[in-house]
Amino acid sequence: MRFDLAGNFLEKVNVEASVTVLKDTHSYAAGYKVGRVDQAETALGAEMRVAADKSQGKVSKDRNKEKIVRRELNKVYTNGTLVDAELLTDEQAGHCVSVYEEESQENNKFGVCVLDCSTSQFDLSTFEDDGNLSVVTTRLLKAILPAACLWTGMRTAEGFSYDETLQQLRLMYFEEGDATMADDDDANVLPSCVPEPIRAMAASQNAIKALGSMIWYLRQLNIDKDILSMKNFNVYDPMKKGQGLTLDGQTLAHIETFEAEFTELAKGMPDLERIVSRIHAKNCKIKDFLRVLAAFKKLSMGLSRLADASESFDSKTIFGLLRSAPDLLPHIKNIENLYVKPSSDKGALLFIRQLLQIDFDLSDDELVPREGKDDAYDEVMSEIAGLEEELDNDLKKMEKKLGFPLSYWHSAQGNKEIYLVETSAGQKGIPDDWTKNSATKAKSRWVIRSLQTKIRQLKEAREHRNTAIKAFKSRLFAEFDADRSLWLRTIRAFAELDCLLSLAKASIAIGEPVCRPEFVEDDTALVDFEELRHPTLSLTSSKSFIPNNIKLGGDTAKIVLLT
């Protein structure tokens, strides 16, 4: 089947997909491409759109089609490009990998681009391999790809060439005022607005071609902008040196003192890296957004306390790591000042929804801007308040004129039926221009013709309110995303501390006897172990484990044959 991204059946589009609205993870695992179709407007919004088109002289040839509520094919997902929280079944990363092999008879050269869609992280690499493809089969396929992997070969006409990829990157990350553009002598120079890891790999045609194929593929699925705009790129080099953290005995001992406080800090912490990625894509639920703000507030205060406690340590490794985490509290306060903190009481939320006849899902809730923080919202709320006040006054006038009590009745289904006038069942003296809508044993409900113009205006104003709320949500997410580098720095500091604590706990769990290695200066390489025990076997084996002495190098043999 062929679809465009509005969900229409067209032959001219290039994206082929098997489209379904099912959220069945088996469909992804089986290799299907699954389309997500979103409702783009409400029934009232469709009516307003048709009315606006008519007022501008736009008349559709198919009048029945124009009245249909619009639904759009928003994105297409595969097993390796899942980003929505409800589609991620576990915490394991699912990768989409692009591998480019240079055609050569002399040696095997590869370019690789690995994408973790849940965090929008790209890893770029290039390498030469031997005739047995040792690097591909061990470092790449075994380390990254799962046992069951779906392969898709790309035709020559698909993907971007090296020059096309560079041009796409220039256009994608173009910023006004960036003077670093390609010179006539070197057409491969990328502007400084392009992420630095990509610029570092620009001379490697194989890596750039792998990236180009990845960009092309994501574009066919309509998820390229959300992911690539994160600018989360790394150069993957498993043999890199000088970028590790040396753990000495003092550092490990200091980490052990943090265990209780760190465990409390990490308790209940959501997957921050994934949710930050979804906020950037404006594809995050409000409850998750609020959880992230609360988590970062807790994290910032907790890391600050740990930094203060580590200031007196002899080793400054931990202190330096904790001080690298920025102070997030001013940034969080700036965001929280934009909206009214929602009530945690669902009963209160239900009362507000019924009072204002606002149609929103209590499970997702919504964020309302503070007064003066969003002009469009303030304007439409002023209009709603004015119309509601006029309708209340009209009811009082009718009640005074007729001489019997009246009240308004509203349906619980949003704006479908609102401001029906309710009287006692069997009430005498009902005006002839009132139309009976429904009744119960005790009450009768009436449609009042003279009120319909104002009710229609109120319905449209409430629809504009929903539009303003959605626009405010996008602006709020953009405000959060502006400090993305700070959030990610905090996440990385916290993750590194988590790894160090895990190493410290593993060191303790090995048991006695135990010692830390001593590194010595020598002309030749050597290792000298006494009573060496395998840490895993010593913990899991029920039988007593016999330790071994091992010495290699120095004044002994450099090779030991194990049989």
Side-chain angles (χ1 to χ4, degrees):
M1 293 185 288
R2 289 179 178 268
F3 290 80
D4 66 1
L5 288 174
N8 300 317
F9 296 90
L10 297 175
E11 290 297 321
K12 63 183 180 180
V13 296
N14 296 321
V15 181
E16 294 189 5
S18 174
V19 179
T20 176
V21 294
L22 297 176
K23 293 182 179 178
D24 183 5
T25 55
H26 296 294
S27 300
Y28 303 105
Y32 288 102
K33 293 179 180 177
V34 180
R36 193 186 81 190
V37 179
D38 293 337
Q39 183 170 315
E41 59 187 1
T42 62
L44 179 59
E47 294 177 15
M48 295 167 62
R49 169 177 52 80
V50 172
D53 288 345
K54 288 182 178 179
S55 66
Q56 297 174 7
K58 300 178 182 178
V59 180
S60 173
K61 295 180 181 179
D62 189 346
R63 295 193 175 183
N64 291 325
K65 183 179 178 181
E66 71 177 6
K67 296 179 182 179
I68 298 175
V69 175
R70 284 180 175 171
R71 293 173 176 83
E72 297 179 352
L73 178 60
N74 188 284
K75 290 178 174 65
V76 180
Y77 293 126
T78 66
N79 195 38
T81 57
L82 301 179
V83 293
D84 289 8
E86 58 269 23
L87 302 180
L88 296 168
T89 57
D90 53 42
E91 296 181 356
Q92 298 298 318
H95 294 99
C96 184
V97 184
S98 170
V99 181
Y100 178 83
E101 181 179 5
E102 181 181 329
E103 296 181 2
S104 175
Q105 296 181 349
E106 298 179 359
N107 48 26
N108 300 299
K109 296 181 179 180
F110 292 88
V112 180
C113 177
V114 181
L115 167 64
D116 178 1
C117 270
S118 64
T119 59
S120 300
Q121 177 174 312
F122 293 82
D123 288 292
L124 302 175
S125 183
T126 182
F127 56 87
E128 292 188 19
D129 208 348
D130 55 31
N132 297 321
L133 301 180
S134 303
V135 177
V136 171
T137 55
T138 56
R139 293 186 190 170
L140 178 63
L141 302 186
K142 189 175 181 180
I144 297 177
L145 300 184
C149 178
L150 300 173
W151 291 90
T152 302
M154 300 185 70
R155 296 186 293 269
T156 305
E158 298 175 328
F160 292 125
S161 67
Y162 176 72
D163 293 332
E164 289 172 338
T165 303
L166 294 181
Q167 183 61 19
Q168 289 293 327
L169 291 169
R170 294 187 187 101
L171 295 174
M172 191 184 309
Y173 296 115
F174 174 76
E175 293 180 358
E176 294 289 342
D178 195 322
T180 312
M181 298 303 291
D183 300 326
D184 294 335
D185 297 334
D186 188 359
N188 297 337
V189 173
L190 290 170
S192 59
C193 54
V194 175
E196 194 279 331
I198 298 180
R199 289 187 282 121
M201 298 292 288
S204 172
Q205 293 201 18
N206 294 335
I208 296 299
K209 286 179 180 179
L211 174 60
S213 297
M214 180 71 76
I215 294 173
W216 182 91
Y217 184 69
L218 296 177
R219 189 164 296 174
Q220 309 315 301
L221 305 181
N222 198 36
I223 59 176
D224 56 314
K225 293 180 180 178
D226 293 344
I227 295 175
L228 290 161
S229 56
M230 276 286 287
K231 299 184 178 181
N232 191 1
F233 291 86
N234 298 301
V235 175
Y236 177 69
D237 182 6
M239 302 304 291
K240 60 187 176 183
K241 299 178 180 179
Q243 299 185 29
L245 176 64
T246 302
L247 289 179
D248 54 18
Q250 286 184 336
T251 302
L252 282 173
H254 292 154
I255 293 175
E256 293 166 7
T257 65
F258 279 163
E259 181 177 355
E261 189 168 354
F262 181 86
T263 302
E264 182 63 28
L265 180 60
K267 187 182 298 182
M269 195 68 65
D271 193 331
L272 295 174
E273 195 171 12
R274 285 185 173 182
I275 302 179
V276 166
S277 177
R278 291 201 290 270
I279 293 173
H280 169 78
K282 297 179 174 59
N283 187 29
C284 179
K285 294 181 179 179
I286 291 299
K287 63 180 181 181
D288 290 334
F289 178 70
L290 296 177
R291 283 180 65 206
V292 163
L293 288 181
F296 274 121
K297 184 182 292 186
K298 175 184 176 183
L299 196 56
S300 185
M301 292 188 294
L303 292 179
S304 179
R305 288 195 301 269
L306 291 176
D308 292 340
S310 66
E311 194 169 1
S312 60
F313 290 172
D314 295 332
S315 172
K316 298 302 179 184
T317 303
I318 300 301
F319 177 71
L321 172 62
L322 292 169
R323 281 302 182 210
S324 68
D327 181 10
L328 301 179
L329 297 183
H331 303 276
I332 295 173
K333 184 178 180 180
N334 177 56
I335 294 171
E336 290 180 336
N337 285 339
L338 295 176
Y339 64 86
V340 178
K341 187 176 181 180
S343 171
S344 59
D345 184 358
K346 285 199 171 184
L349 291 174
L350 180 62
F351 172 76
I352 294 171
R353 186 176 75 171
Q354 292 175 340
L355 179 67
L356 297 178
Q357 292 300 300
I358 299 169
D359 187 16
F360 64 83
D361 186 355
L362 287 176
S363 62
D364 289 341
D365 202 2
E366 63 180 7
L367 288 182
V368 176
R370 291 181 185 269
E371 187 175 355
K373 297 298 184 180
D374 191 284
D375 294 338
Y377 180 81
D378 291 344
E379 183 178 345
V380 74
M381 289 305 295
S382 177
E383 181 184 358
I384 290 173
L387 290 168
E388 290 176 343
E389 185 178 0
E390 290 180 20
L391 287 167
D392 288 340
N393 292 335
D394 290 339
L395 183 69
K396 292 178 182 178
K397 291 177 182 178
M398 288 188 292
E399 195 174 41
K400 184 176 181 181
K401 179 180 179 181
L402 296 174
F404 51 81
L406 302 173
S407 61
Y408 281 132
W409 178 87
H410 308 290
S411 167
Q413 302 298 319
N415 283 326
K416 187 175 182 181
E417 290 181 325
I418 60 174
Y419 285 94
L420 298 180
V421 172
E422 195 171 58
T423 65
S424 299
Q427 177 67 53
K428 304 297 183 181
I430 300 297
D432 295 336
D433 60 345
W434 287 22
T435 303
K436 193 170 185 178
N437 177 272
S438 60
T440 64
K441 183 181 289 188
K443 298 289 184 179
S444 296
R445 298 168 187 141
W446 308 84
V447 175
I448 313 302
R449 187 183 306 169
S450 61
L451 301 180
Q452 295 312 300
T453 300
K454 289 180 182 177
I455 293 174
R456 176 68 184 191
Q457 291 174 347
L458 180 59
K459 287 182 177 180
E460 292 185 0
R462 288 176 175 173
E463 187 69 20
H464 290 315
R465 176 198 177 275
N466 292 338
T467 302
I469 285 291
K470 290 179 181 177
F472 174 72
K473 177 183 174 181
S474 295
R475 186 165 70 87
L476 194 65
F477 286 178
E479 189 74 22
F480 177 92
D481 191 57
D483 296 322
R484 187 191 333 135
S485 61
L486 298 180
W487 313 122
L488 294 179
R489 276 172 54 194
T490 303
I491 292 172
R492 286 169 185 144
F494 182 62
E496 190 169 341
L497 187 61
D498 187 16
C499 291
L500 295 179
L501 185 64
S502 298
L503 287 173
K505 292 174 70 175
S507 176
I508 297 171
I510 292 176
E512 300 292 341
V514 66
C515 70
R516 293 190 171 98
E518 179 185 355
F519 294 92
V520 297
E521 293 288 342
D522 203 287
D523 295 334
T524 59
L526 62 92
V527 292
D528 187 1
F529 297 107
E530 294 182 2
E531 297 188 358
L532 189 65
R533 296 173 296 125
H534 193 291
T536 305
L537 291 178
S538 62
L539 289 174
T540 59
S541 178
S542 58
K543 300 179 181 180
S544 59
F545 187 82
I546 301 174
N548 297 281
N549 297 339
I550 297 178
K551 188 173 183 180
L552 292 174
D555 57 357
T556 61
K558 296 183 179 180
I559 298 176
V560 172
L561 180 62
L562 298 179
T563 60

